[in-house]
Amino acid sequence: QVQLVESGGGLVQPGGSLRLSCAASGSIFTINDMGWYRQAPGKERELVAAITSGGTANYGDSVKGRFTISRDNAKHTVYLQMNSLKPEDTAVYYCYAERAITTFGEMNDHWGQGTQVTVSS
């Protein structure tokens, strides 16, 4: 069983920074893509950033130039450095692991429980 545990959310003032972490645990052999989505109240879930196992990153248009995604494959962990935060970044941020392969040969997608990020003065 693969589990994703997020950390690092909280309350920050506009212009501030936060760093989210998401660690995958379980009998993991490898994970293909990892990344973050977010969902604000009354809005659809949107892609924030994604990164392949080789380190190629992709960002949503609203966060380009402000957010940076990275990952540590040995630790099965993905990070999201968020700078120059705006009130419109307020949302629940969800981590995901796409095509995670266990040592038993099972492959599935997995989601974290979500972490709240609130940008407000």
Side-chain angles (χ1 to χ4, degrees):
Q1 184 78 5
V2 175
Q3 292 186 326
L4 302 182
V5 178
E6 299 133 332
S7 60
L11 173 64
V12 64
Q13 292 187 342
S17 297
L18 280 176
R19 188 187 194 218
L20 304 183
S21 299
C22 173
S25 63
S27 302
I28 300 170
F29 175 66
T30 189
I31 301 174
N32 286 275
D33 296 353
M34 298 186 77
W36 299 87
Y37 275 77
R38 69 185 181 186
Q39 188 165 22
K43 295 188 177 181
E44 293 186 353
R45 189 173 291 193
E46 65 170 342
L47 174 69
V48 178
I51 186 167
T52 68
S53 58
T56 299
N58 181 43
Y59 297 93
D61 289 341
S62 61
V63 306
K64 285 180 181 177
R66 299 187 298 123
F67 291 10
T68 302
I69 190 170
S70 61
R71 65 187 282 178
D72 184 330
N73 289 330
K75 296 181 179 180
H76 306 304
T77 299
V78 63
Y79 306 95
L80 185 68
Q81 178 66 42
M82 306 185 292
N83 298 328
S84 303
L85 283 161
K86 306 175 181 180
E88 50 264 43
D89 294 317
T90 296
V92 177
Y93 284 68
Y94 296 92
C95 166
Y96 73 93
E98 186 174 301
R99 292 176 291 155
I101 302 172
T102 68
T103 55
F104 303 105
E106 299 168 332
M107 183 172 70
N108 286 293
D109 299 338
H110 301 275
W111 288 87
Q113 79 284 358
T115 186
Q116 177 70 45
V117 171
T118 302
V119 184
S120 175
S121 55

